Amino acid sequence: MLKGIPPIISPDLMKILMEMGHGDEIVLADGNFPAASHAARLINGNGHGVPEFLTAILQFFPLDTYVKSPVMLMNPVEGDEEPVIWQEYDEIVTKMSSCPIQIEKLERMDFYERSKAAYAILATSERVPYGNIILKKGVL
Amino acid sequence: MLKGIPPIISPDLMKILMEMGHGDEIVLADGNFPAASHAARLINGNGHGVPEFLTAILQFFPLDTYVKSPVMLMNPVEGDEEPVIWQEYDEIVTKMSSCPIQIEKLERMDFYERSKAAYAILATSERVPYGNIILKKGVL
Amino acid sequence: MLKGIPPIISPDLMKILMEMGHGDEIVLADGNFPAASHAARLINGNGHGVPEFLTAILQFFPLDTYVKSPVMLMNPVEGDEEPVIWQEYDEIVTKMSSCPIQIEKLERMDFYERSKAAYAILATSERVPYGNIILKKGVL
Amino acid sequence: MLKGIPPIISPDLMKILMEMGHGDEIVLADGNFPAASHAARLINGNGHGVPEFLTAILQFFPLDTYVKSPVMLMNPVEGDEEPVIWQEYDEIVTKMSSCPIQIEKLERMDFYERSKAAYAILATSERVPYGNIILKKGVL
Amino acid sequence: MLKGIPPIISPDLMKILMEMGHGDEIVLADGNFPAASHAARLINGNGHGVPEFLTAILQFFPLDTYVKSPVMLMNPVEGDEEPVIWQEYDEIVTKMSSCPIQIEKLERMDFYERSKAAYAILATSERVPYGNIILKKGVL
Amino acid sequence: MLKGIPPIISPDLMKILMEMGHGDEIVLADGNFPAASHAARLINGNGHGVPEFLTAILQFFPLDTYVKSPVMLMNPVEGDEEPVIWQEYDEIVTKMSSCPIQIEKLERMDFYERSKAAYAILATSERVPYGNIILKKGVL
Amino acid sequence: MLKGIPPIISPDLMKILMEMGHGDEIVLADGNFPAASHAARLINGNGHGVPEFLTAILQFFPLDTYVKSPVMLMNPVEGDEEPVIWQEYDEIVTKMSSCPIQIEKLERMDFYERSKAAYAILATSERVPYGNIILKKGVL
Amino acid sequence: MLKGIPPIISPDLMKILMEMGHGDEIVLADGNFPAASHAARLINGNGHGVPEFLTAILQFFPLDTYVKSPVMLMNPVEGDEEPVIWQEYDEIVTKMSSCPIQIEKLERMDFYERSKAAYAILATSERVPYGNIILKKGVL
Amino acid sequence: MLKGIPPIISPDLMKILMEMGHGDEIVLADGNFPAASHAARLINGNGHGVPEFLTAILQFFPLDTYVKSPVMLMNPVEGDEEPVIWQEYDEIVTKMSSCPIQIEKLERMDFYERSKAAYAILATSERVPYGNIILKKGVL
Amino acid sequence: MLKGIPPIISPDLMKILMEMGHGDEIVLADGNFPAASHAARLINGNGHGVPEFLTAILQFFPLDTYVKSPVMLMNPVEGDEEPVIWQEYDEIVTKMSSCPIQIEKLERMDFYERSKAAYAILATSERVPYGNIILKKGVL
């Protein structure tokens, strides 16, 4: 353990976050997401939900201010409802950012394609359906 | 996710638990344990405490009944106190086992040597000092 | 061996099943299937038939309820007959599922293409011709 | 599948059997044996018992006639009984060999040491305790 | 060495033959064939001609009866003659097969393309020009 | 780049620092140190001196309070003088630590032996002779 | 350390510079550049700015005189200003070259595409926005 | 060293030359050629010119007589002159071949594309500009 | 194929022979020899006897004249006879050498130990018992 | 090619020389030396003699002034003569060093042992017997 680094952030996750640059994206995938089959780099986040990771990561991770929406969610398919947890995501993102952040919603298949191109996927055990979120890195 | 497998158990951890045989040992290491330098096989359990893992693992893992103590703890060095969490470990082990289990205490350096010879080390973020525990696998 | 895990499921197979997510597919290939040449990830199931694996896998594996048919078979080419074992497959799938499952049949070459894109192929020694089956993973 | 090769013999197992030479040993390990931690080369034989493998392997594998006992078993520790399956092993070995074969019994810890030095370990799911057997290869 | 396996078949070659499934192809390349540059998997058969390998392989290898020609040769380019050894190939194939086998001839460049897609290439030292042959695996 | 992480700390160095546990050691090697030949894990710190790294690392890295001296230097061989930079090291260590730290001096060959056993060596370009320093990690 | 090689040039960087040939390009990336995700070969230059590297590299590295501009910069997107550091780059390039060098400016996305095709990317910690620079190797 | 093998031919180079078959090509690249970035397989020939290698290689290497030109050179770009060394190449090729060999000239960019598809590139230190040469292997 | 290289010598075998230096040894192992378990580097010579290889190898390979016996055989164990093929080995060695060569005989277990330390083992299919031979490389 | 780096120094050799530190040794092995079997890291210097490399390397490489003899030769065994080339070595070492260098002679077997422990071996094609030389790196 190191001073000032939250224990939920593993050495592998920190290395990935540091290696990412302007415009690179990371997916915080929920427990049902096909993470291993879509990930260029896969990080084990088993047993945790997305909010814990979101809070810990945004403490270090600048969001991209050069695009309209540096944060993306997966739109529920017809028949499924928008998850309540999105409100929590919004609050965490707002609290951790110095400027207002706009969140974009992608169709399920578009979200999958984007995940394949992402720098890494963090496989959490988030139980809430449509709990996935993509973060785009900004500059310092 | 699979039916009946607790989310805290990652694919890698499950594979390790299944590969282990009679007499093989796994270390559930606390957050300060030198896991990466001592592990023959290292599993990422960042962000979790030991009790959550102990409960999930013992649901599948038979303890060795051919030895006096299939469970081992690290004795505090002089000046440090015995951690309260040990009682919780004892209760989990007792609850998950079909027969009474005796727990052995090893000196710090002996515990390190034993960890090097273990099949795997699971690196948790348990904050309680001396929160490490070794489990020896039995037969079914 | 672990409590509650059928011995036919090897550590490698369990890891693959756990890594798969919503929409990922696994092929249970019969003994004549070109498994090694088509598999992104190949698992050794030599000496076993498909029904034993189907029963063991579906005990853990949720089928995808977001598609019409989460189960696929290979249609016999002209001149060959539909195998009797399909009825057994149907019964196993029905028994292990909480809701009715529709089974789709693919032409031989389409089945091969789909197998290449699958997350993994389990190479069994099923002797019945056209004994192959694809399973698509659902959510929990 | 190839003509004349029993399906229980996987490509990996056949390669191992062919690579072995005079004096090399293979362990057919039961389901509780610590195979992964002791094996120089590990072969997956999940879901099968030892007798099926013994019969299939000895169809190809010459036993060493330069030593007193080319077949070894693990002696039960005090309190455990000699397994009935040994008689079946004896019959298979006798039936598959052209000359009488003497079987040696090793203490548990000696058996483990010998397994570490073996060319390969085949991890079966044999449920009978003390179901392990070592075969030493002879010449043709 | 194993009982019943011809010595010319190496452990690697046997593993490849066993891994192949319905429709997979293997190239028995002559000594001048660009084997290393075209092979997905390359097997060393140096010092041997093609007929020895053909005889040994077809003892185990079923030819594909679902296609018109499971055996292919490379057509001589203009100015070169059809090799006499083809007759020997024909006799071996006929003798080793339970049903009549039709042999197809491919243009040199088509033969190369097909070799790239083959499961493996066995690099022999056959000295006869146009001594290459492709075998397509059938079912058992 | 991440908020709060000094740029001199590369993703690889951060990962190493996070993986280290209680009692693990890291060597900050000067430009003449035989780092590549002694390192279990080697990190590129070319172009930087030791003080910059020492300051950046100790911002995160707890020193071991269970031993007399968690900081070690290499004693000059006869004829060479004690380097002035040691005073700077002492000041940095003192400033970054919450409690007084005692520094130990090792003979050259002992320092080499210790470096071989260290978790990692950071190869800097420190020009001052005897500019090497070993840090032993403590607990949080 | 070697005589005549500046310490900022690591063994890995020197090897890359030597391996490059006529027309190959290297990117000196600033601290916000997505280096790890775009690099065919990635070199760690953490903690240093671009000018130090530019000076050290051009001491050895001939620029390509067969193209109009062997040096390329990333054009600021609308709203951002041209960085002052470019003047420093220009002076270094001019001083280190035997003939006048013309510098080309690429749009951000074109610069990214070119970086992907480059032989290597050197990830510096240059803090100045738009501090990236591409060098194209010439002949000796 | 072996009897009859010139010392300039390294074990790696000999292996490559032997692995090549009918139609495969090798590039003898001059010191400025971008060998590492274009080579499927790269061989170190540092410190030597092309003529020494040409002489040594053609002692073993049959040129392709099925094509018009089994030897290719890189045409100088406008403004550069045809190198005198080509005459030496021509003499070596003529002397080492049993039949007259026609040499073809490729434009610089075509030569690069061809080099990427070659079986290997031998990186020499030939100082003469446009000293590169491609050899296409024939049959024996 | 290359001019002057016998086809029985594969690219891998030639590379090994070239890499060997003064005092290095190669084992030409018969078909029953435990080659894979004893070899530091293993070469496939399946289907060939030892004499063909001996003749081809000694055409290039100088024997060590600095030791009493650069050629070693395995002494038959009690009850087995000295193989007639040894005479053929002797004649080949004598014919291929410029000076008389003395042949040494090692006990079986000593031969095994020596084989483990050899640079490589060439696994032939020589059927004659005790057909193994070790060659020690000399200087040119 | 880079300005100021002699072409005989390959990228791999330069990287090795830069990685070495105080006390590390490199062997410049003659053509008969068992380089591949003794080298921790092997560098291809085929076709060159030792003097060319010695001259090029010492242009960058500081010799160790902390030991009596930073340069070592292999003593001829009884019956062989001291090679004349040693005088050339002495002159090169003297010319390239700023202070007088003493050269030590090791017995053949001691030289081999020392070579095994060296950081790297450069395999030249030096034809002169006993042409090997070891260099020990110093400080800058």
Side-chain angles (χ1 to χ4, degrees):
Chain A
M1 291 195 292
L2 293 179
K3 301 179 208 163
I5 310 291
I8 200 174
I9 294 188
S10 68
D12 285 329
L13 174 53
M14 183 54 110
K15 180 165 180 285
I16 290 287
L17 295 175
M18 290 178 72
E19 285 172 355
M20 292 173 66
H22 187 190
D24 286 331
E25 300 180 357
I26 185 169
V27 184
L28 281 58
D30 65 28
N32 284 307
F33 192 87
S37 60
H38 286 68
R41 293 166 193 84
L42 181 65
I43 313 166
N44 168 13
N46 272 74
H48 299 289
V50 162
E52 301 92 286
F53 274 120
L54 198 56
T55 307
I57 288 171
L58 288 178
Q59 170 179 348
F60 299 97
F61 190 93
L63 289 169
D64 191 354
T65 56
Y66 280 74
V67 296
K68 224 176 62 183
S69 309
V71 177
M72 281 145 282
L73 300 168
M74 184 197 279
N75 238 351
V77 302
E78 228 188 291
D80 287 343
E81 291 182 17
E82 187 171 309
V84 180
I85 206 173
W86 283 8
Q87 214 157 336
E88 191 180 349
Y89 291 4
D90 200 358
E91 284 161 18
I92 295 171
V93 169
T94 300
K95 199 183 73 184
M96 306 297 291
S97 305
S98 46
C99 56
I101 295 294
Q102 199 168 331
I103 296 181
E104 188 185 354
K105 282 157 207 169
L106 303 171
E107 294 312 309
R108 184 176 162 212
M109 289 306 152
D110 295 342
F111 195 99
Y112 285 165
E113 280 314 302
R114 192 130 188 175
S115 299
K116 270 193 198 166
Y119 189 69
I121 299 181
L122 171 62
T124 78
S125 296
E126 178 58 57
R127 299 303 301 266
V128 173
Y130 301 101
N132 311 292
I133 187 166
I134 297 178
L135 307 176
K136 195 183 195 74
K137 197 174 177 184
V139 303
L140 279 191
Chain B
M1 292 195 293
L2 294 179
K3 302 178 206 162
I5 310 290
I8 200 175
I9 294 188
S10 69
D12 285 328
L13 175 53
M14 184 52 112
K15 181 166 178 286
I16 289 286
L17 295 176
M18 290 180 71
E19 284 172 356
M20 291 172 67
H22 187 189
D24 285 332
E25 300 181 356
I26 185 168
V27 184
L28 281 60
D30 66 29
N32 283 307
F33 192 87
S37 59
H38 285 69
R41 294 166 191 82
L42 181 66
I43 313 164
N44 167 12
N46 272 73
H48 298 288
V50 162
E52 302 92 286
F53 273 120
L54 198 57
T55 305
I57 288 172
L58 287 178
Q59 171 179 348
F60 299 98
F61 190 91
L63 290 169
D64 192 355
T65 55
Y66 280 74
V67 295
K68 226 175 62 183
S69 308
V71 177
M72 279 145 284
L73 299 168
M74 185 196 278
N75 239 353
V77 301
E78 228 187 291
D80 286 345
E81 290 184 17
E82 188 173 308
V84 179
I85 207 173
W86 282 9
Q87 214 158 334
E88 190 179 351
Y89 291 6
D90 200 359
E91 283 161 18
I92 296 171
V93 169
T94 300
K95 199 182 75 185
M96 306 298 288
S97 305
S98 45
C99 55
I101 295 293
Q102 200 170 330
I103 296 181
E104 186 185 353
K105 283 157 206 166
L106 302 172
E107 294 312 308
R108 185 175 161 212
M109 289 305 152
D110 295 341
F111 195 99
Y112 283 165
E113 281 313 301
R114 190 131 189 174
S115 299
K116 270 193 196 165
Y119 189 70
I121 299 181
L122 171 61
T124 78
S125 295
E126 178 58 56
R127 299 303 299 267
V128 173
Y130 301 100
N132 311 292
I133 186 166
I134 298 178
L135 306 176
K136 193 182 196 73
K137 197 175 178 184
V139 303
L140 280 190
Chain C
M1 292 194 293
L2 293 180
K3 300 179 208 164
I5 310 290
I8 201 175
I9 295 188
S10 68
D12 284 329
L13 174 53
M14 183 52 111
K15 181 165 179 283
I16 289 287
L17 295 175
M18 290 179 71
E19 284 171 357
M20 292 173 66
H22 188 191
D24 285 330
E25 300 181 357
I26 185 169
V27 184
L28 281 59
D30 66 29
N32 284 307
F33 192 88
S37 60
H38 286 68
R41 292 166 192 84
L42 180 66
I43 313 165
N44 168 14
N46 271 74
H48 299 288
V50 162
E52 300 92 287
F53 274 121
L54 198 57
T55 306
I57 288 172
L58 287 178
Q59 171 179 348
F60 299 98
F61 190 92
L63 290 168
D64 192 353
T65 56
Y66 279 75
V67 295
K68 223 176 63 183
S69 309
V71 176
M72 281 145 282
L73 299 168
M74 185 197 279
N75 238 354
V77 303
E78 228 188 293
D80 287 343
E81 291 184 17
E82 187 173 311
V84 181
I85 206 173
W86 282 9
Q87 213 158 336
E88 191 180 349
Y89 290 5
D90 201 358
E91 284 161 18
I92 295 171
V93 168
T94 300
K95 199 182 74 184
M96 306 297 291
S97 304
S98 46
C99 57
I101 295 294
Q102 200 169 330
I103 296 181
E104 187 185 355
K105 283 157 207 168
L106 302 171
E107 293 313 307
R108 184 175 161 211
M109 289 306 153
D110 294 342
F111 195 99
Y112 284 165
E113 281 313 302
R114 191 129 188 177
S115 299
K116 269 192 198 166
Y119 189 69
I121 299 182
L122 171 62
T124 78
S125 295
E126 178 58 57
R127 298 304 299 267
V128 173
Y130 301 102
N132 311 293
I133 187 167
I134 297 178
L135 306 177
K136 194 182 194 73
K137 197 174 177 185
V139 303
L140 279 191
Chain D
M1 292 194 292
L2 294 180
K3 302 178 206 163
I5 310 290
I8 199 175
I9 294 188
S10 68
D12 285 328
L13 175 53
M14 184 53 111
K15 181 166 178 286
I16 290 286
L17 295 175
M18 290 180 72
E19 284 171 356
M20 290 172 67
H22 188 189
D24 284 332
E25 300 180 357
I26 185 170
V27 184
L28 281 60
D30 67 29
N32 284 307
F33 192 87
S37 59
H38 285 69
R41 294 166 191 83
L42 181 66
I43 313 165
N44 166 14
N46 271 73
H48 298 290
V50 162
E52 301 92 286
F53 273 120
L54 198 58
T55 305
I57 288 172
L58 288 179
Q59 172 179 346
F60 299 97
F61 190 92
L63 290 169
D64 192 353
T65 56
Y66 280 73
V67 295
K68 224 175 64 182
S69 309
V71 176
M72 280 145 283
L73 299 168
M74 185 197 279
N75 239 352
V77 301
E78 227 187 292
D80 286 346
E81 292 183 17
E82 189 173 307
V84 179
I85 207 173
W86 282 9
Q87 214 159 334
E88 190 179 351
Y89 290 7
D90 200 358
E91 284 160 17
I92 296 171
V93 168
T94 300
K95 200 183 73 185
M96 306 298 289
S97 304
S98 45
C99 55
I101 294 294
Q102 200 170 329
I103 296 181
E104 186 185 353
K105 283 156 206 167
L106 303 172
E107 294 312 308
R108 186 176 161 211
M109 288 306 152
D110 294 341
F111 196 99
Y112 283 165
E113 280 313 302
R114 192 132 188 172
S115 299
K116 270 192 198 165
Y119 189 69
I121 298 181
L122 171 61
T124 78
S125 296
E126 178 58 58
R127 298 303 299 266
V128 174
Y130 301 102
N132 310 293
I133 187 166
I134 298 178
L135 305 176
K136 193 181 195 74
K137 197 174 178 184
V139 304
L140 280 189
Chain E
M1 292 194 292
L2 294 180
K3 301 178 207 163
I5 310 290
I8 200 175
I9 295 188
S10 69
D12 284 328
L13 173 54
M14 182 53 110
K15 181 166 179 284
I16 289 287
L17 295 175
M18 290 179 71
E19 284 171 356
M20 292 172 66
H22 188 189
D24 285 332
E25 299 180 358
I26 185 169
V27 184
L28 281 59
D30 66 28
N32 283 307
F33 192 86
S37 60
H38 286 68
R41 294 165 192 83
L42 180 66
I43 312 166
N44 167 14
N46 271 75
H48 298 289
V50 163
E52 301 92 286
F53 273 121
L54 198 57
T55 306
I57 287 172
L58 288 178
Q59 171 179 347
F60 299 98
F61 190 92
L63 290 169
D64 192 354
T65 55
Y66 281 74
V67 295
K68 224 176 62 182
S69 309
V71 177
M72 280 145 283
L73 299 167
M74 185 197 278
N75 238 353
V77 302
E78 228 189 292
D80 288 343
E81 292 183 17
E82 188 173 308
V84 180
I85 207 173
W86 283 9
Q87 212 158 336
E88 190 181 349
Y89 290 5
D90 200 357
E91 285 161 18
I92 295 172
V93 169
T94 300
K95 198 184 75 184
M96 305 298 290
S97 304
S98 45
C99 57
I101 295 293
Q102 200 171 329
I103 296 181
E104 187 184 355
K105 283 157 206 167
L106 303 172
E107 293 312 308
R108 184 175 161 212
M109 289 307 153
D110 295 341
F111 195 98
Y112 284 164
E113 279 314 301
R114 191 130 188 175
S115 299
K116 268 192 198 166
Y119 188 70
I121 299 181
L122 171 61
T124 78
S125 295
E126 179 58 59
R127 298 303 299 267
V128 173
Y130 301 101
N132 311 292
I133 187 167
I134 297 178
L135 306 176
K136 194 183 194 72
K137 196 174 178 184
V139 303
L140 280 191
Chain F
M1 292 195 292
L2 294 180
K3 301 177 206 162
I5 311 288
I8 200 175
I9 294 189
S10 69
D12 285 327
L13 174 54
M14 184 51 112
K15 182 166 179 285
I16 289 286
L17 295 176
M18 290 179 71
E19 284 171 357
M20 291 173 68
H22 187 189
D24 285 333
E25 300 181 356
I26 185 169
V27 184
L28 280 59
D30 65 30
N32 284 307
F33 192 86
S37 60
H38 286 68
R41 295 167 190 81
L42 180 66
I43 313 164
N44 168 13
N46 271 73
H48 298 289
V50 163
E52 302 92 286
F53 273 120
L54 198 57
T55 306
I57 288 172
L58 288 178
Q59 170 178 351
F60 299 98
F61 190 91
L63 289 169
D64 192 354
T65 55
Y66 281 75
V67 295
K68 225 175 64 183
S69 309
V71 176
M72 279 145 284
L73 300 168
M74 186 197 278
N75 238 353
V77 302
E78 228 188 291
D80 286 345
E81 291 183 18
E82 189 171 296
V84 179
I85 207 174
W86 283 9
Q87 213 159 335
E88 190 179 351
Y89 291 5
D90 200 358
E91 283 161 19
I92 296 171
V93 169
T94 299
K95 198 183 75 185
M96 306 298 289
S97 305
S98 46
C99 55
I101 295 292
Q102 200 171 330
I103 295 181
E104 187 185 353
K105 283 156 206 169
L106 302 172
E107 294 312 308
R108 185 174 162 213
M109 289 306 153
D110 295 340
F111 196 98
Y112 284 166
E113 281 313 301
R114 191 133 190 172
S115 298
K116 271 191 196 166
Y119 189 70
I121 299 181
L122 171 62
T124 77
S125 296
E126 179 57 58
R127 298 304 300 266
V128 173
Y130 301 101
N132 310 293
I133 186 166
I134 297 178
L135 305 177
K136 193 181 196 74
K137 196 175 178 184
V139 303
L140 281 189
Chain G
M1 291 194 294
L2 294 179
K3 302 179 208 163
I5 310 290
I8 200 175
I9 294 189
S10 69
D12 284 329
L13 174 53
M14 183 52 109
K15 180 165 180 285
I16 289 287
L17 295 175
M18 290 179 71
E19 285 171 355
M20 292 173 66
H22 187 190
D24 286 331
E25 300 181 358
I26 185 170
V27 184
L28 281 58
D30 66 28
N32 283 307
F33 193 86
S37 60
H38 286 68
R41 294 166 192 82
L42 181 65
I43 313 166
N44 168 12
N46 272 75
H48 298 289
V50 162
E52 301 93 285
F53 274 120
L54 199 57
T55 307
I57 288 172
L58 288 178
Q59 170 179 350
F60 300 97
F61 190 93
L63 289 170
D64 192 354
T65 56
Y66 280 74
V67 295
K68 224 177 61 184
S69 309
V71 176
M72 281 144 282
L73 299 169
M74 185 197 278
N75 238 352
V77 303
E78 229 189 291
D80 287 342
E81 291 184 16
E82 188 172 295
V84 180
I85 206 172
W86 283 8
Q87 213 157 334
E88 190 180 350
Y89 291 3
D90 200 358
E91 284 161 18
I92 296 171
V93 168
T94 301
K95 199 184 73 185
M96 307 296 291
S97 305
S98 46
C99 56
I101 295 294
Q102 199 169 332
I103 295 181
E104 187 185 355
K105 282 158 207 168
L106 303 172
E107 294 312 308
R108 184 176 162 211
M109 290 305 152
D110 295 341
F111 195 98
Y112 284 165
E113 280 313 302
R114 191 131 188 174
S115 299
K116 270 192 197 166
Y119 189 69
I121 299 181
L122 170 62
T124 79
S125 295
E126 178 59 58
R127 299 302 301 266
V128 173
Y130 301 101
N132 311 291
I133 186 167
I134 297 179
L135 306 176
K136 195 183 195 73
K137 197 174 177 184
V139 303
L140 279 192
Chain H
M1 291 194 293
L2 294 179
K3 302 178 206 163
I5 311 290
I8 200 175
I9 294 189
S10 69
D12 284 329
L13 175 53
M14 183 52 110
K15 180 166 180 283
I16 289 287
L17 296 175
M18 291 179 71
E19 284 171 357
M20 291 173 66
H22 187 190
D24 285 331
E25 300 180 358
I26 186 169
V27 184
L28 280 59
D30 66 27
N32 283 308
F33 192 86
S37 61
H38 286 68
R41 294 166 192 83
L42 180 65
I43 312 166
N44 167 13
N46 271 74
H48 299 289
V50 162
E52 301 93 285
F53 273 120
L54 198 57
T55 307
I57 288 172
L58 288 178
Q59 171 179 348
F60 299 98
F61 191 93
L63 289 169
D64 192 355
T65 56
Y66 280 74
V67 295
K68 225 176 60 182
S69 309
V71 176
M72 281 145 282
L73 299 168
M74 186 198 277
N75 239 353
V77 302
E78 230 188 291
D80 288 342
E81 291 183 17
E82 189 173 296
V84 180
I85 206 172
W86 284 8
Q87 213 158 335
E88 190 180 350
Y89 291 3
D90 200 358
E91 285 161 18
I92 295 171
V93 168
T94 300
K95 198 184 76 185
M96 306 297 291
S97 304
S98 46
C99 57
I101 295 294
Q102 199 169 332
I103 295 181
E104 186 185 357
K105 283 158 205 165
L106 303 172
E107 294 312 309
R108 184 175 162 212
M109 289 306 152
D110 295 341
F111 196 97
Y112 284 165
E113 280 312 302
R114 191 131 188 175
S115 299
K116 269 192 199 167
Y119 189 70
I121 299 181
L122 171 61
T124 78
S125 295
E126 178 58 58
R127 298 303 300 267
V128 172
Y130 301 100
N132 310 293
I133 186 167
I134 297 178
L135 306 177
K136 195 182 194 72
K137 196 175 178 184
V139 303
L140 281 191
Chain I
M1 292 195 293
L2 294 180
K3 301 178 206 162
I5 310 290
I8 200 175
I9 294 188
S10 67
D12 285 329
L13 174 53
M14 184 52 112
K15 180 165 179 285
I16 289 286
L17 295 175
M18 290 180 71
E19 283 171 357
M20 290 171 68
H22 188 189
D24 285 333
E25 300 181 356
I26 185 169
V27 184
L28 280 60
D30 66 29
N32 284 306
F33 192 87
S37 59
H38 286 68
R41 293 166 191 82
L42 180 67
I43 313 164
N44 167 14
N46 271 73
H48 298 289
V50 163
E52 301 93 286
F53 274 120
L54 198 56
T55 306
I57 288 172
L58 288 178
Q59 173 179 346
F60 299 99
F61 190 93
L63 289 169
D64 192 354
T65 55
Y66 280 74
V67 294
K68 223 175 64 182
S69 309
V71 176
M72 280 145 283
L73 299 168
M74 186 197 280
N75 239 353
V77 301
E78 228 188 291
D80 286 344
E81 292 182 16
E82 189 172 292
V84 180
I85 207 173
W86 283 8
Q87 215 159 335
E88 190 179 351
Y89 290 6
D90 200 359
E91 284 161 18
I92 296 171
V93 168
T94 300
K95 200 183 74 185
M96 306 298 289
S97 305
S98 46
C99 56
I101 295 294
Q102 199 170 331
I103 295 181
E104 186 185 355
K105 283 157 206 168
L106 302 172
E107 293 312 307
R108 185 176 161 211
M109 289 307 151
D110 294 341
F111 195 99
Y112 284 165
E113 280 313 301
R114 191 130 187 175
S115 299
K116 270 191 197 166
Y119 190 69
I121 298 181
L122 171 62
T124 78
S125 296
E126 178 59 58
R127 297 304 299 266
V128 174
Y130 301 101
N132 310 292
I133 188 167
I134 297 178
L135 306 176
K136 194 181 195 74
K137 196 174 179 183
V139 304
L140 281 189
Chain J
M1 292 195 292
L2 294 180
K3 301 179 206 161
I5 311 289
I8 200 175
I9 294 188
S10 68
D12 285 328
L13 175 53
M14 183 53 112
K15 181 166 179 285
I16 289 285
L17 295 175
M18 290 179 71
E19 284 171 357
M20 290 172 68
H22 188 190
D24 285 331
E25 300 181 356
I26 185 169
V27 184
L28 280 60
D30 66 29
N32 284 306
F33 192 86
S37 59
H38 286 68
R41 294 168 191 80
L42 180 66
I43 313 164
N44 168 14
N46 271 74
H48 298 289
V50 163
E52 302 92 287
F53 274 120
L54 198 57
T55 306
I57 288 172
L58 288 179
Q59 170 178 349
F60 299 97
F61 190 91
L63 289 169
D64 192 354
T65 55
Y66 280 74
V67 294
K68 224 174 64 181
S69 310
V71 176
M72 280 145 284
L73 299 168
M74 185 197 280
N75 238 353
V77 302
E78 229 188 290
D80 286 345
E81 291 183 19
E82 189 172 292
V84 179
I85 207 173
W86 283 9
Q87 214 159 336
E88 189 179 352
Y89 291 5
D90 200 0
E91 283 161 18
I92 296 171
V93 168
T94 300
K95 198 182 75 185
M96 306 299 288
S97 305
S98 46
C99 56
I101 295 293
Q102 199 170 332
I103 295 182
E104 186 185 355
K105 283 157 206 167
L106 302 172
E107 294 311 308
R108 184 176 162 213
M109 289 307 152
D110 294 341
F111 195 99
Y112 285 165
E113 280 314 300
R114 191 130 189 175
S115 299
K116 271 191 197 167
Y119 190 70
I121 299 181
L122 171 61
T124 78
S125 295
E126 178 58 57
R127 297 304 299 267
V128 173
Y130 302 100
N132 310 293
I133 187 166
I134 298 178
L135 306 176
K136 194 180 196 73
K137 196 174 179 183
V139 303
L140 281 189

